[in-house]
Every structure is written in C-alpha cells, then in structure tokens.
C-alpha cells in the first residue's frame, strides 16, 4: 500500500473522506472539522484556451503551469483541469482514446506530473476531468469490441441487433434521441449491429453492467492518475452509467423527429447508486480523493441528495443544472430556442439547491459558469454599456461568493469575459453541439426556427466560454498565443477586457473578485457553511437573502449560542431601487450593523438607507 493511501482515513457512516460533517441546530449548521474541499475555491481551466506556451495556437499544460501564481493571487485552492487525455477531439477531449496518455498539443504525462507538483508546492490541489460514460471510437477497448461478436471486450460496450419494420427496413434498437441533436444508435458494418452513444457517434457508451469493464475503469482511468498524486476528479455525466436494460422505445413527445428525447431511459438508472458507491469504495476513498459529479435531468433535491449523502459514500458533491439551464428550451430538440425567464424563477432554483442540504449530511456547490454554457455576465448580468458590464459582473461575483457550498469559478469569469460578438457567423462556432443544432435548423427549412436557433446560440452556446483567455490588451491574441492561427478566434474586445488592464485597479472586476474571495474565506462560517434564508422571493428587481450561522457568545461568565448574520442586497436591474430595511432584517441596532462590502465605487459608501444604484450589490453584517 502506498504511503499516500495508508495515511488516508477512508469514509464511514456520517463522514466524508474521514472528516465529520457539520451538525445541525435549528436548521443552522454548526461547523466542526470539515474537509478541505468544502471551503475551497475551485478554478476550472479549459486547457485549449488558457495559455499557449509554444506558439502552436493551442493552450497547453506548460502554459497553465506558467500562470499558477496568477491563480494563487486570485485566491484559488484547487485547479480543475478539463480533459487533456489523448483524443481525436471530436468533442474537445470528451472523446478519450487513451486515458494514460496526453493529447500531444497539451503536453505529456510528465507535464501533468509537473503541474501536480507545482500546484502542491503552492498550496493548491489538482483534479482532472474523468470521462467514463463513454470513450472515443478510437479507444483500444472499442476497437476490440467492434472487431467481432465473440471478442472478450464485446460486452464492454452496448451492442444491439437491428429491428425491422413491416417493409423490411432496418430500424435502430430504440427510438432514443441523444444530446447532440442526433439518434443514440449507430450501425456498425463489421459486426452488423448497432452500438449505443448518448452523445456523438464518435463517443460509444461503456457498458457499466460488465464487471471487468468497471474494474478497468477504476484501474486505468482513476488509480493510474491518483498514484501520480492528483487529488481527485470532476466526473462527467456521472448519473448516466446505469441504463434501463429493457431498451424500450420512448414516448413520442416531438412528432417532428423519428428519434425521441429519452433521458428517463439512461439517467439515474436502477444500478446507478451501486455503481457510484463501488467507484468510491474501490478508487476514490482509498486515496482520500475528492469527487464532484455532473448530474443532469434531475427531478429535484430529493433525487440529488442520495448522490451526496456522506453516509451513502458516493460523491462528495455534484453540479446540479436547473439554474444554469435557465433560458434553454430543454436538452434536446428546442434546446437553443431561447426562453426568457423572470428573476423570481432564478431565485427559486438557487434557494432550492441552497437549502436542500439543511438537516442532512449532504453538500452543495456554487457556480454560474462552465465550459458548456454562455458567459454569466451575458446571461445573468447586463452588457449593454461598459459601466453596466462592470457593475453587474461585480454583483454576480458578490452573489457567488456569498452562497453556501463549494465555489467553482470558470476561467475568465473573474475578469468578466463576455460572449462572442453577435456579428460573428456560425463558422466561428466550433463546438459539435452548436454545429449540430444549427444544422438541424437549416435542414428543417424553417427560417424562423433557424433565426431563433442562431439567437439562442448567441446567448447560450458552448463556444462562448471556450474563446481564448484574455491576458493582455496590448499583446498579440490577448497574450494567449503568438501563433497567427489560434484554434479559436480571440474576442474583438480583448483590449478592453483583460488581466493586465484590471490588475491593481481597485475598481476592476478582477480586484473585486479577489476581495470577495478573501471575505468568503475570512467569514467561511456564514458564507460557505451558513444557512440560506430567501427574502423578497417575488421581487423582480431586487435580489435579497440572509446568510446566518450559530456562533458561541460569552455572557456573564457563561457561553451561549448566538446568530451571526449577513444580509445580501442586490439590484438586478438598470433602474435605481429602494433600499430594504436593513436593521429590521438583521434584527439589530444601527450600532451593530455595518457594511461589509459593496460593488459601488469607493466614493459611494452604501449607507443603510441609501438607494441601490443600477446593478449595485451590498452585504451588511451584524458582527
């Protein structure tokens, strides 16, 4: 047994990676010894777009290593590195051809080892992106599986014979429609059967029902990297490993298509908790590795909790997507037909997944950006003027930094990076999903649908978050690469939005993020672990909530329990809004209440009764 494993206390009932969870008193968490990842700030790096060290137009691992001090200064505790394993790049690395090799433009295995060591030397940790619902068609496992029906790895993937209609026409085994605007079955000429793929046809699904396949996943994709010192994984599509094995047709809910949305056939399947518990027991817990799973198509908190209950010993935390999916038309046919929504609806989703862990041994996450969505300041803020862009980006930072759970930042979020300009054509959208949904709209012949799809892509598309990082407004390609041909076009606005311009400017988005993260850590008891209390739920202009925690209070020689409170007040509009009654909500006198932080300029103090300016946010406290 390695020293690293021997030094780790594995989880037991009521614990997670050896640490007791917080206890509860009247619905408010009491902080005890907590695992590091609960109060940590995670930072997602999209490697193709972060920093290119060798001028080939692709970001790489040495480029990331060169900027680790930037992340330390920002306040990052753990780097999440999006897929870097070898891949044909049909889906930007989410189609893995070799889990133990690195895609050459990104670097080498030795570069990952160096990155791990350099992170640890700076007091940071590193997690990798684990993609094990599916592989690439170029993976050796799949090549063997498709070579013959009697190959030992045939059952490592999901193969089914064809069906035939009354005219003898060949049909797929089911009518399921996948995530990239395509059917979920592809015909293979070699063995005359179909294989299942929930995503692109280049991404065949692994068969988690096969014991040998699961053990190979644990050994080749997890223990291999944990033995090299990485600290855990973000686990892709984690609730899709267990399919309903009767493989029945889905109901026809979209008569325009032969294939039909069918997430109920593959999400949260009958053996899913068995599989994830086994993954934790065999590969994660022995290393004390942190895990954050990607959950989709969840009905509600009661379905999420079993994945993150410490007693269940499955995952440490998960990403639940109901809030970040606001504006989409669903995950399948109309996904990119934009659906406007009210602020009250966003508030409802946030409150639901802030409070569902109270009274439980579960945990939650905080995020509003990632590699699969448009930029947060475009979606939730206001970019109509430079002033509103900056103010709303700071208010979004204030919002994220004061919510309960583990905070995840996406690269560029901290400087307020924005979506592609609207005059960029579809040719600038590189993502397979963007191209497929746009292509479907073109083939429909419906001009309005095509216009609506393009409008939706301009707001929601995955490509926006993948534009090269903007380091320097005075450098070629924003300092991302010296190449004349970066893999994606650099944003036209990079001279206005970049790290160099914002560094050291006390009024910048970047410096506000640094301040907000410092305050979050300084007052982790109330911001990271505090209970969330929703206020003014139906107000469509103001966003107000209370955070509170129990703290010991010494009075007359005895110790009792008091309340530490933080009142978050934000104006989510362009119009001036009346201030709330701060003293009443904090339940304290004027001498106890103080302004902890405001997004307003330094010359505006944010007094208790002062109106909220456009997109202004403030936090008042009673401590």
């Amino acid at each position: 047994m390695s020293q690293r494993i021997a030094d780790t206390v594995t989880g037991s009932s009521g614990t997670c990676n050896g640490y007791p969870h917080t206890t509860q008193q009247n619905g408010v968490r009491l902080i005890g010894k907590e695992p590091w990842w609960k109060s940590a700030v995670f930072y997602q790096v999209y490697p193709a777009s972060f920093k290119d060290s060798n001028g080939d137009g692709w970001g790489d691992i040495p480029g990331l290593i060169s900027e680790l001090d930037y992340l330390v200064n920002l306040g990052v505790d753990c780097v999440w590195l999006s897929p870097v394993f070898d891949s044909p790049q049909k889906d930007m690395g989410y189609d893995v051809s070799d889990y133990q090799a690195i895609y050459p433009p990104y670097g080498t295995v030795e570069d990952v080892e160096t990155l791990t060591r350099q992170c640890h030397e700076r007091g940071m940790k590193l997690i990798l992106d684990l993609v094990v619902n599916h592989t690439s068609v170029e993976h050796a496992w799949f090549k063997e599986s498709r070579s013959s029906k009697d190959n030992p790895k045939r059952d490592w993937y999901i193969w089914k014979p064809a069906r035939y209609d009354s005219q003898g026409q060949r049909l797929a085994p089911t009518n399921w429609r996948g995530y990239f605007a395509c059917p979920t079955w592809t015909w293979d000429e070699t063995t005359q059967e179909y294989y299942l793929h929930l995503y692109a046809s280049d991404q065949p699904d692994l068969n988690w029902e096969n014991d040998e396949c699961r053990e190979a996943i644990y050994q080749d994709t997890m223990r291999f990297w944990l033995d090299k010192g990485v600290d855990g994984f973000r686990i892709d599509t984690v609730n899709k490993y267990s399919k309903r094995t009767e493989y029945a047709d889905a109901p026809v809910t979209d008569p325009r298509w032969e294939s039909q949305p069918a997430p109920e056939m593959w999400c949260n399947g009958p053996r899913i908790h068995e599989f994830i518990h086994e993954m934790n027991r065999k590969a994660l817990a022995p290393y004390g590795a942190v895990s954050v799973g990607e959950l989709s198509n969840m009905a509600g908190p009661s379905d999420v909790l079993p994945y993150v209950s410490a007693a269940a010993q499955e995952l440490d935390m998960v990403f639940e997507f109901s809030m970040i999916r606001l504006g989409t038309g669903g995950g399948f046919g109309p996904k990119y037909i934009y659906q406007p929504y009210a602020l009250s609806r966003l508030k409802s989703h946030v409150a639901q997944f802030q409070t569902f862990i109270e009274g439980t041994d579960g945990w939650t996450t905080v995020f509003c950006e990632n590699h699969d969505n448009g930029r947060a300041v475009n979606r939730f803020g206001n970019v109509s003027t430079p002033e509103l862009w900056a103010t709303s980006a700071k208010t979004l930072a204030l919002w994220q930094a004061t919510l309960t759970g583990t905070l995840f930042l996406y690269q560029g979020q901290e400087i307020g990076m924005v979506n592609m300009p609207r005059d960029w054509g579809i040719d600038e959208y590189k993502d397979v999903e963007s191209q497929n949904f746009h292509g479907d709209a073109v083939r429909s012949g419906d001009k309005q649908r095509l216009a609506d799809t393009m409008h939706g892509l301009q707001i929601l598309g995955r490509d926006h978050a993948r534009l090269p990082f903007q380091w320097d407004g005075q450098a070629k390609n924003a300092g991302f690469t010296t190449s004349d041909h970066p893999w994606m076009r650099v944003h036209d606005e990079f001279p206005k939005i970049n790290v160099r311009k914002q560094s050291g400017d006390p009024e910048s988005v970047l410096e506000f993020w640094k301040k907000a993260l410092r305050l979050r850590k300084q007052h982790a008891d109330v911001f990271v672990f505090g209970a969330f209390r929703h206020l003014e739920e139906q107000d469509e202009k103001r966003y107000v909530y209370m955070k509170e925690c129990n703290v010991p209070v010494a009075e007359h020689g005895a110790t009792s329990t008091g309340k530490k409170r933080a009142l978050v007040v934000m104006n989510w509009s362009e119009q001036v809004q009346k201030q709330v009654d701060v003293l009443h909500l904090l339940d304290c006198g004027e001498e106890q209440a103080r302004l902890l932080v405001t997004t307003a300029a330094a010359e505006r103090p944010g007094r208790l009764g002062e109106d909220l300016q456009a997109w202004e946010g403030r936090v008042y406290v009673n401590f």
Side-chain angles (χ1 to χ4, degrees), residues 569-600:
V569 184
M570 298 175 288
N571 178 3
W572 281 48
S573 78
E574 298 181 34
Q575 296 80 38
V576 172
Q577 299 296 317
K578 291 292 184 182
Q579 173 64 296
V580 299
D581 189 338
V582 174
L583 299 181
H584 172 73
L585 293 173
L586 281 177
D587 190 24
C588 67
E590 189 168 349
E591 64 279 4
Q592 285 86 40
R594 68 184 179 93
L595 179 69
L596 182 68
V597 62
T598 175
T599 61

Side-chain angles (χ1 to χ4, degrees), residues 323-330 334-341 370-375 378-380 419 422 429 431 433-434 452-465:
M323 187 278 290
I324 205 171
R325 295 291 191 235
L326 286 173
T328 66
K335 179 176 182 178
Y336 288 109
I337 307 298
Y338 184 72
Q339 305 294 317
Y341 59 89
N370 62 22
H371 62 293
D372 282 337
N373 293 276
R375 288 291 183 177
N378 289 82
R379 299 185 59 205
F380 307 118
N419 281 358
R422 287 184 172 270
Y429 290 72
D431 177 51
E433 184 178 69
S434 298
D452 290 344
T453 298
M454 193 64 205
H455 172 69
L457 286 170
Q458 289 168 339
I459 301 170
L460 305 166
R462 305 200 305 179
D463 297 86
H464 300 296

Side-chain angles (χ1 to χ4, degrees), residues 84-154:
V84 291
F85 304 136
D86 208 3
S87 165
Q89 300 295 323
K90 300 296 185 181
D91 184 22
M92 290 304 296
Y94 286 93
D95 51 320
V96 179
S97 57
D98 188 341
Y99 291 102
Q100 298 184 4
I102 301 301
Y103 181 55
Y106 290 147
T108 65
V109 170
E110 290 72 26
D111 288 330
V112 177
E113 293 174 325
T114 300
L115 172 62
T116 305
R117 184 174 63 255
Q118 292 280 332
C119 283
H120 291 170
E121 288 176 358
R122 289 167 171 80
M124 294 192 297
K125 298 183 185 292
L126 174 71
I127 65 172
L128 302 182
D129 217 312
L130 183 68
V131 186
V132 289
N133 174 71
H134 48 266
T135 69
S136 166
V137 292
E138 297 301 320
H139 196 287
W141 295 348
F142 187 71
K143 289 180 177 179
E144 287 192 52
S145 183
R146 79 187 312 179
S147 66
S148 69
K149 290 183 180 179
D150 58 0
N151 185 278
K153 289 187 174 61
R154 180 66 171 183

